[in-house]
Amino acid sequence: LPFTVKQDLRDNYPFGLFAVPMSDVIRVHASSGTTGKPTVVGYTKNDINTWSELAARALACAGGTRFDVVQNAYGYGLFTGGMGIHYGTERLGATVVPISGGNTQRQLMLMQDFGTTILTCTPSYALFLAEEGVKMGLDFKKMPLKAGIFGAEPWSERMRTQLEEKLDLMALDIYGLSEIMGPGVAMECPAKQGMHVFEDHFIPEIINPETGAVLPPGEQGELVITTITKEAFPLIRYRTRDITRLEVEPCSCGRTHARIRRITGRSDDMLIIRGVNVFPSQVESVLLECGETEPHYLLVVDRKANLDQLEIWVELAENMFSDQVRQLEDLEARLRERIHSVLGISARVRLVEHNTIPRSEGKA
């Protein structure tokens, strides 16, 4: 069967690939697309039930039970993270604290006061919480936190060690993407030997991203997923662009579903900044819209206080360089605002003189 790719979703924006009438679609979510138009996904009532079940399984993989208090600091809204974990927690019968992202002081106060046992958020935000907690004089060893379910951005084993030491919990990886369902497509267990793909709902394959050839278990390549049970928005052989490998040996935890290893990168140019998908082409479209800058730009991603920071260096148009500081500040502010509107995250904008950003001789 042929692959489905993100371009197919764009070409059929917004509801062209839905397989049921809109009267059966009870919810839509969306993630950022490359051109400012989001990738839209739909769910029937049964899809929401399935997703809740999968997210509950993910929580159970982390040792979650109905006696737990789950502090859900993933973003709520069109992003699938917050709602996915929320419904899964309720399905499990645990107590959900739907705090969403940000408001760090309040997060830490409620973590203490409510007796949070499971924290769900991006790994970078978890590390930020840990460091702010230390500044506030909190001793995480005296808190009931037992597990963290961290996803929505790539993270390393070194980051896991830091999170476990600083927060005194078991840090586990979760995998999902809006197009396939949301969080709960795959989840790590305490053996920490990869994330179990819930194969009764999804068929995973690993392919060579250049040739499309299917690779055997254990070989690294691009993850391709087929949905088996989705009603509103089923996908056949969807290319996720995530680089990993598949392992089929039974896990020491007793689960027999295949596992995918930690995502090591992407086969496209997408960046993930604070859990939000950012494509360079989105930035380019904003700069071309503006007219006062050239489409020559540099995306500088840095991590400060364990949070990703995006700075965009932009060349001024040849006829635009101005000595009037106010005029430049006004342009920076307008670009910042438009980029925030398109990307959904804040980024710094740095205007540079014409012809100062290196030109690419090959693929940009």
Side-chain angles (χ1 to χ4, degrees), residues 107-327:
Q107 295 264 9
L108 292 163
M109 178 187 80
L110 296 187
M111 198 180 283
Q112 290 179 93
D113 297 348
F114 291 0
T116 299
T117 55
I118 297 175
L119 173 64
T120 64
C121 61
T122 62
S124 55
Y125 187 59
L127 209 47
F128 186 65
L129 278 171
E131 291 178 347
E132 289 301 299
V134 169
K135 286 181 196 169
M136 286 169 62
L138 298 187
D139 184 352
F140 288 102
K141 288 185 167 55
K142 291 180 180 170
M143 292 164 72
L145 273 178
K146 67 178 188 183
I149 298 177
F150 304 129
E153 65 187 19
W155 54 301
S156 61
E157 280 300 316
R158 187 167 162 271
M159 174 84 107
R160 189 203 308 267
T161 305
Q162 281 190 305
L163 286 165
E164 292 190 334
E165 284 173 359
K166 292 184 176 186
L167 288 165
D168 195 39
L169 48 63
M170 174 174 60
L172 299 175
D173 204 354
I174 189 170
Y175 180 76
L177 60 166
S178 301
E179 301 95 306
I180 297 301
M181 183 68 89
V185 173
M187 175 69 196
E188 205 170 27
C189 69
K192 300 175 186 170
Q193 295 297 309
M195 294 172 276
H196 295 275
V197 181
F198 297 126
E199 290 182 279
D200 47 339
H201 295 278
F202 311 106
I203 301 171
E205 302 174 86
I206 299 291
I207 63 161
N208 178 322
E210 304 298 324
T211 66
V214 177
L215 299 174
E219 287 205 26
Q220 184 164 284
E222 181 185 329
L223 178 64
V224 169
I225 298 178
T226 298
T227 64
I228 311 170
T229 56
K230 275 175 75 181
E231 294 177 345
F233 189 64
L235 285 175
I236 294 172
R237 301 195 83 198
Y238 183 70
R239 291 189 62 164
T240 68
R241 300 292 179 183
D242 288 322
I243 302 296
T244 182
R245 63 182 197 270
L246 197 62
E247 293 180 354
V248 294
E249 302 80 24
C251 179
S252 60
C253 76
R255 290 176 180 84
T256 54
H257 284 155
R259 285 161 290 141
I260 51 169
R261 284 295 188 166
R262 190 182 287 287
I263 305 298
T264 56
R266 302 271 310 170
S267 66
D268 61 11
D269 60 357
M270 189 179 87
L271 302 168
I272 301 178
I273 311 287
R274 299 194 293 281
V276 176
N277 298 352
V278 175
F279 289 90
S281 50
Q282 289 172 302
V283 177
E284 195 169 282
S285 67
V286 172
L287 302 180
L288 287 167
E289 241 175 61
C290 146
E292 294 162 274
T293 58
E294 298 280 357
H296 295 295
Y297 60 95
L298 197 59
L299 303 186
V300 181
V301 183
D302 199 2
R303 180 161 281 183
K304 291 176 185 169
N306 292 301
L307 287 178
D308 291 334
Q309 309 284 337
L310 174 63
E311 185 172 81
I312 302 165
W313 296 13
V314 193
E315 266 189 28
L316 286 162
E318 197 167 6
N319 59 351
M320 231 324 270
F321 203 77
S322 164
D323 293 332
Q324 291 193 347
V325 174
R326 175 168 247 165
Q327 196 179 349

Side-chain angles (χ1 to χ4, degrees), residues 5-25:
V5 295
K6 205 161 196 143
Q7 189 60 45
D8 297 320
L9 278 59
R10 287 181 212 125
D11 292 345
N12 291 279
Y13 173 88
F15 308 135
L17 289 184
F18 286 11
V20 297
M22 283 305 289
S23 55
D24 291 342
V25 174

